Structures are given as C-alpha cells and as structure tokens.
Amino acid sequence: MLTLRSNLESSVAAQNELVRADLPSRFASISLVSVLSLHYLPVQMVGMVYLAYVLVEAIGLMVYRWLEHRVTWGGILLLCSSAFIGVWVFNAIPLLLFVQPEPFPKLIGVMLLIIALNHCVVARSAWMFFGVLTAVPIICAVGYMIFSFLNAFASPMENLIAAVILILGAAYVAHSMWALNRLTGRLRRALRDAKAGSRAKSRFLAAMSHEIRTPLNAICGMAELIEEEDVDPETRRERTALLRKSAQALTSILDDVLDHAKVEAGHFELSLAAAAPRLEIMSVVEMFRTSADEKGLRLDVSIGPGLPAYAEFDALRLRQVVGNLLSNAIKYTEAGHVSVAVSSEQDGGQSTLKIEVADTGRGMTAEQLSHLFTDFYRVEDKNAPSVPGTGLGLAIARRLAQMMGGDITVQSCPAEGSCFTFTCRVRVLEASEIVVDQSQSETPDQDESALDLGVKSILLVDDTRSNRMVVSAFLKKGDFEIIEATNGAEALSCLESRQVDLVLLDMKMPVMNGRETLTEMARRGGRIGATPVIMLTANAAPEDRAQYLALGAAGYIAKPVKKSVLLSEIRKVATGRDTQAA
Ligand code: ADP
C-alpha cells in the first residue's frame, strides 16, 4: 500500500481548507456570471452549464469532506479530476461568450478568464500540483481567445510576439503560485511548530508540577510532623533528614529546568579553571555513597593510571555530568552494585577523560535507548518502582559533554544493567600553571563554635522573614552582630547611621530592590560605597552572577542558601577586603 508523504498530506489538507473556505464566493460569482450571460446566451445552454458546474462542485465537496478524515491516493485522484473537469465546465461560459459575433461578450469572456486565473493563484496555490492543474485549462482558453482574435489580421511576427507574452504571463502565474505556496508553507510550518512548542510546554508544566509536588508533599508533611512534641529524637532526626532531602530534590529540579532553558537559548558557557580531575570525581562519588548505602548497593570506584594530576576544565559541569549518571545508576538499580571507572588518554597537551558508570539495574531496551537523551524522555515501566525525575538530566548532560569536546554513549540490556560512558577533553596543566579556582568547589561544613569569618557586623537585607531567619540561624554561632533590614531604603539609612563590615543583599524587594541599592551605595561612595556586598538572590543563572559582580557586588550566593557556601563566600569576601586594606 502506498504511503503518502507527510508534506503532501499537509499540502492537500491546506488546499482542501482553502477551496472550502472559497466555496461561497466562488458559487456566488458563478451564479452571477451565469445570470449576466443570459443576455447573450440561450437559457438552455446556460442552464446546462450551470447544472454541470453544480454537479462537479457537489462531487468536489464530498471528496473534500472525505479527504478531511483520510488522505488517500484515490481521494486525491478524485479531487484532481473533479477540479480539472470543474475548470473546463467553468471555461464553457467565457468561451461561449467569446464565440458570439458582438465584441462586448468577447471582452466579457476574456475578463472572466482573467478573474479565474487570479482565483487559481490566490486560492489554489497551497498545493502546487493542484494549482497548476487548474490554471493550465484557463491559460489554454486564454491562448485560444488570443490566437483566434489575431487570426483575422495579425502577421506571423505579431503572432510570435503574442505567443511570447502569453508564455510570459503563464510563467508569471506559475511563479506567483510558487511564491505564495512557499510563503503559506512557511507559515503553516511556523504554526505547526508553535503549536508543537505550546503542547511541549504544557506537557513540561504538567510533568514539572508532578515532579515538584512529590518533594513538596514530603516537605509540607514533615514540617507539620516536626511540630509534634511527643517525638523521640531519632524520629525527629529522620524527619529532618527527609525534609532536607526533599528540599535538595526541589533544588535539583529547578537547576535542571534552568540549565535546560539556558541550553535551549544557547546561553550555556563553560567556565574553565585549574582543578584536579581525581579530586573532583572522587568528591562526586562520595556525595552519592550514602544514597547507595541506603539502597544496599555497593559503590566501587577505580581510577586508572595516567590521569592528569591537574587540568583545565569546568569542574562544576564535570561534577554535574558524573553526578547525573551516578544518581541515575543508583535511582534505577534495585540490587547489586554501581561502579565508576575512570581512565584517560593523553595526546600532546590535551587529555581525554573517560568516565564509565555501570550498574546492575533495570536496564533499557534498544527502542528505549533510541529515545534516550531526548528532552523530557522517561522510560515508562509499570512493573518497576516509580522514581522521581524530570527526563532532562541526560539531555543536559550529553550537551555538556559535547561542549567539553566529548560525548555520552550508553550500552544497556533490560534487567541486566546499563553502562554510560562519558568522555571529555581537558587541557593538562604543568605544576607551574596551577591556580586552583576555589569558587568552584564547596568547602565542607565548618565547626560553628569556631566561626570566625573576619567580620564584626553583617547587615542582612531581605524582605522575606523566613529567608532572614534561615541566614541568621546559619550565622548565629559567629562572633558578630547581625542587623536586619527589609528593603534597600532601610539598609541605606542603617548604613548612614553606623558602620557595618558586610552587607548580604537580596535582589527582589519592595521600595528599593537589590540592584538599586547597589547603585545607590556606589553613588554615595565613601564608607558606604566601600562596604562589601554579597548578593543573596534567587536569580540563579551564571550570567546573573557576572551581572551582579559587574554592578559592584563583592560576592554572590544563589538561593536556596547552603550554610557551607554562605560561610565560605563571606570568608572569601572578608579576606579579600582585608587583603585590599593591607
Ligand atoms: P530522570 O532520571 O530525571 O527521569 P534523565 O534524563 O536523567 O531523567 O533520564 C531519562 C530516563 O532514562 C530516566 O527516566 C530513566 O528511565 C532512563 N535511565 C537513565 N539512566 C538509567 C539507568 N542507569 N538505568 C536505567 N534507566 C535509566
């Protein structure tokens, strides 16, 4: 059986729609022309032509309706035949008028054909073949009229000139049809893409809403349960741990969404810096050890010889890719083990890191593998335990790997396990070139009792009380004063009245937002302008960081705030200030 190509189907569907939309005006014109032509033609003749036309249009209508449900070769053949016969039936009236002895009906005949040609260009170009099929009989009729008119007096040269003009006219009609066809085709495709995009966004929102609700449910539930008074410390610890885990899950969903949006918009950039590949990989693996232990999975790591001690690469993104593969391996494995094997191949000053993450989990079929790395794709397996996820992690990870000059490939077998291989290129560094960027790696949690951040007073500016509570609680063991303000204007009047060592500034606030506050502090200059500011904001894209630093902020922390990150950023900024002051 013949399968119609999808673009032919869409052309036929668009043409079908156009011809049907044009039906009332087409019918009204034909009826009017028939009535007017009665002035020159006998009523029986006009009546017969009109009836034939109605019959052909009725057949055409039935075929159009049929094609609306299913486009088949039989339907297309019937549509073309009815349209072709319909044009000839229509031509009958102008031709009959033309063969009259008086000059005026001849003129009307020509005028009617010109209108018909215009109709072909405007209403029949959605499907080129159909348009040409119906225009050719009209052009033939026009040709017949021209040459039978010229026959009476024209020289061969004049006939030739008329033929050239006719061909030119026909070519112009064809070109206009083609141009309109391309334009409407582009519009149709744009409309289809827009609809598909809108459907994908709705699916995405539905998926996100579901994914966000799962950890949110745990957060709300645990928050309520923590208030219960008759709970033993162990249960309370378990509940708090679940609360923290769910909050982390929410954060990682948001990170995925943000990364996906950035990749889509082409805003993703790697930030290269010196780092130790072994250290970075080991620290990600260790981050997942607890989750592997909780599921009773063995987590092995083997690092082959020859791994460069230091190299230039984006450590944060490398950790993200390895973390995604590891998190999946643990999520989709119920029993057995997960192993990470690292090797490298050096050529010249570059090295290709190869990180294999293998598991003994549920695995995937060849069909499922063919969709992997597609945005939002998740394997539907009703028999396996349901696992939360967005279906974005692998798509982002592969794009990151490709940006790093490598790729991610996978081998998998259902019920046996999977092995993901991530490769990336790094520039090997000599000992003399090494300046490790501390900003990319988190410092471990500090002992709060020994909290000395190098500042005596901190002005905390945030309109949301809960945010101020969290930050104050993180800093409460420190030997410094915390002053609170709820917007930029309050912060400025506080800075006018007293000296503070550091400002933690939220971005989105009423009265005066963070950006305005930063600008105003710089404008006032002196002691106020020199006070270091750390932006503490929910605008978490990397370009936001660069933007705030360019505005004069000394540091940047994305919400949700992690205690270790907060302390290390404050320490970094305070030490920087000391160094500058020295
Ligand atoms: P998520 O895990 O958030 O759903 P990913 O893009 O990371 O999104 O993964 C896409 C899908 O690929 C997952 O939903 C899962 O069905 C499948 N998958 C990924 N890794 C594994 C694995 N190690 N074993 C089995 N299936 C996997």
Side-chain angles (χ1 to χ4, degrees):
M1 200 173 131
L2 289 169
T3 314
L4 293 177
R5 290 215 328 267
S6 69
N7 57 348
L8 174 64
E9 283 189 16
S10 83
S11 300
V12 172
Q15 186 56 60
N16 182 1
E17 211 175 291
L18 258 182
V19 173
R20 287 186 68 164
D22 179 62
L23 184 70
S25 57
R26 200 164 66 238
F27 226 85
S29 315
I30 297 286
S31 307
L32 191 68
V33 166
S34 305
V35 172
L36 292 177
S37 63
L38 285 176
H39 191 63
Y40 299 100
L41 303 176
V43 67
Q44 300 90 330
M45 198 182 271
V46 174
M48 268 172 58
V49 173
Y50 190 76
L51 273 180
Y53 189 79
V54 170
L55 192 72
V56 173
E57 277 287 1
I59 295 173
L61 259 184
M62 272 162 47
V63 181
Y64 292 142
R65 194 155 293 163
W66 177 20
L67 285 177
E68 233 175 21
H69 301 296
R70 207 155 66 93
V71 178
T72 59
W73 284 113
I76 289 179
L77 199 71
L78 223 69
L79 173 77
C80 294
S81 315
S82 78
F84 191 70
I85 297 169
V87 177
W88 277 116
V89 174
F90 170 80
N91 280 352
I93 289 184
L95 285 172
L96 285 170
L97 284 168
F98 187 79
V99 294
Q100 298 306 305
E102 302 93 329
F104 190 65
K106 284 188 195 301
L107 180 68
I108 297 179
V110 176
M111 284 164 70
L112 288 177
L113 287 187
I114 290 171
I115 295 171
L117 260 186
N118 184 45
H119 162 80
C120 277
V121 172
V122 175
R124 305 206 166 193
S125 56
W127 179 23
M128 261 319 263
F129 174 73
F130 184 74
V132 171
L133 188 79
T134 47
V136 167
I138 302 173
I139 292 171
C140 289
V142 173
Y144 163 76
M145 288 177 181
I146 291 171
F147 290 110
S148 62
F149 171 70
L150 290 178
N151 194 28
F153 61 87
S155 67
M157 189 58 189
E158 285 169 328
N159 271 311
L160 184 69
I161 291 173
V164 169
I165 293 175
L166 182 69
I167 292 169
L168 208 73
Y172 190 69
V173 166
H175 176 265
S176 309
M177 272 187 174
W178 177 75
L180 209 64
N181 177 279
R182 273 176 45 127
L183 181 70
T184 50
R186 273 209 300 271
L187 289 174
R188 270 203 317 274
R189 278 192 296 279
L191 185 68
R192 193 191 53 212
D193 290 350
K195 281 184 178 166
S198 158
R199 274 196 302 273
K201 284 227 157 62
S202 307
R203 269 203 317 275
F204 167 71
L205 279 180
M208 282 307 109
S209 157
H210 175 265
E211 287 313 313
I212 288 172
R213 267 168 208 282
T214 312
L216 206 57
N217 182 42
I219 291 174
C220 297
M222 287 306 116
E224 239 178 76
L225 289 172
I226 279 172
E227 282 178 354
E228 282 179 1
E229 277 161 16
D230 52 343
V231 176
D232 59 281
E234 184 52 30
T235 314
R236 180 157 294 170
R237 233 190 326 274
E238 266 175 22
R239 289 176 181 175
T240 325
L242 182 59
L243 194 72
R244 196 168 45 223
K245 244 176 137 177
S246 307
Q248 275 162 2
L250 263 188
T251 314
S252 88
I253 291 174
L254 280 180
D255 287 345
D256 270 3
V257 173
L258 209 66
D259 279 351
H260 179 254
K262 267 184 309 203
V263 170
E264 286 284 289
H267 286 161
F268 220 104
E269 271 178 27
L270 293 180
S271 148
L272 302 179
R278 184 194 170 93
L279 210 75
E280 298 297 341
I281 296 166
M282 286 308 289
S283 75
V284 192
V285 175
E286 288 317 311
M287 263 172 58
F288 286 93
R289 192 163 293 284
T290 326
S291 354
D293 288 349
E294 276 170 5
K295 281 187 90 174
L297 301 173
R298 208 178 69 227
L299 178 57
D300 304 324
V301 200
S302 77
I303 301 211
L307 193 68
Y310 281 99
E312 188 182 63
F313 60 99
D314 190 329
L316 191 77
R317 298 305 177 186
L318 180 125
R319 291 162 60 109
Q320 179 176 349
V321 176
V322 179
N324 183 270
L325 299 182
L326 253 173
S327 133
N328 280 349
I330 295 169
K331 274 198 310 190
Y332 302 108
T333 302
E334 308 320 321
H337 67 269
V338 170
S339 63
V340 181
V342 186
S343 58
S344 72
E345 238 174 66
Q346 193 159 342
D347 66 280
Q350 297 267 324
S351 180
T352 303
L353 304 187
K354 185 168 160 194
I355 302 158
E356 286 171 299
V357 180
D359 62 62
T360 53
R362 58 178 78 164
M364 284 165 279
T365 63
E367 214 277 320
Q368 289 163 344
L369 285 178
S370 69
H371 301 290
L372 215 63
F373 305 107
T374 313
D375 293 347
F376 308 116
Y377 175 73
R378 306 203 69 215
V379 174
E380 306 250 338
D381 186 351
K382 293 194 176 66
N383 302 320
S386 97
V387 176
T390 57
L392 282 174
L394 280 180
I396 297 170
R398 179 181 245 177
R399 272 174 250 181
L400 286 177
Q402 287 167 346
M403 282 173 77
M404 294 182 208
D407 203 354
I408 298 181
T409 53
V410 55
Q411 285 180 319
S412 189
C413 199
E416 282 184 23
S418 313
C419 178
F420 285 79
T421 307
F422 159 43
T423 52
C424 69
R425 304 271 291 164
V426 298
R427 188 169 77 85
V428 180
L429 293 178
E430 299 301 326
S432 56
E433 296 178 84
I434 298 159
V435 186
V436 180
D437 183 0
Q438 294 295 343
S439 73
Q440 294 205 0
S441 42
E442 281 172 25
T443 48
D445 272 6
Q446 308 285 320
D447 174 9
E448 294 165 42
S449 57
L451 204 58
D452 176 14
L453 299 177
V455 286
K456 297 224 158 12
S457 53
I458 294 179
L459 173 60
L460 171 60
V461 195
D462 198 314
D463 59 320
T464 313
R465 186 161 167 267
S466 57
N467 289 343
R468 293 199 307 273
M469 269 171 70
V470 170
V471 175
S472 301
F474 281 167
L475 298 174
K476 75 170 188 283
K477 296 265 171 79
D479 184 18
F480 41 74
E481 183 189 2
I482 298 176
I483 312 126
E484 294 189 13
T486 59
N487 61 54
E490 263 182 37
L492 281 167
S493 58
C494 169
L495 285 169
E496 285 287 355
S497 64
R498 58 163 297 174
Q499 151 106 38
V500 294
D501 293 337
L502 181 79
V503 181
L504 293 175
L505 186 63
D506 179 30
M507 179 63 207
K508 218 169 147 197
M509 291 179 293
V511 187
M512 186 183 262
N513 67 28
R515 184 187 296 268
E516 290 161 348
T517 315
L518 255 186
T519 317
E520 184 56 23
M521 282 174 70
R523 197 190 64 76
R524 294 196 188 179
R527 178 176 55 78
I528 296 180
T531 312
V533 177
I534 295 178
M535 297 305 296
L536 201 76
T537 162
N539 300 352
E543 58 269 23
D544 291 326
R545 179 189 190 100
Q547 239 178 52
Y548 294 128
L549 296 186
L551 274 174
Y556 166 92
I557 301 169
K559 286 178 185 168
V561 185
K562 275 182 106 179
K563 189 171 158 191
S564 57
V565 176
L566 176 72
L567 301 186
S568 103
E569 191 75 0
I570 294 179
R571 187 170 288 114
K572 207 167 76 188
V573 169
T575 339
R577 191 197 49 170
D578 289 351
T579 327
Q580 275 166 24

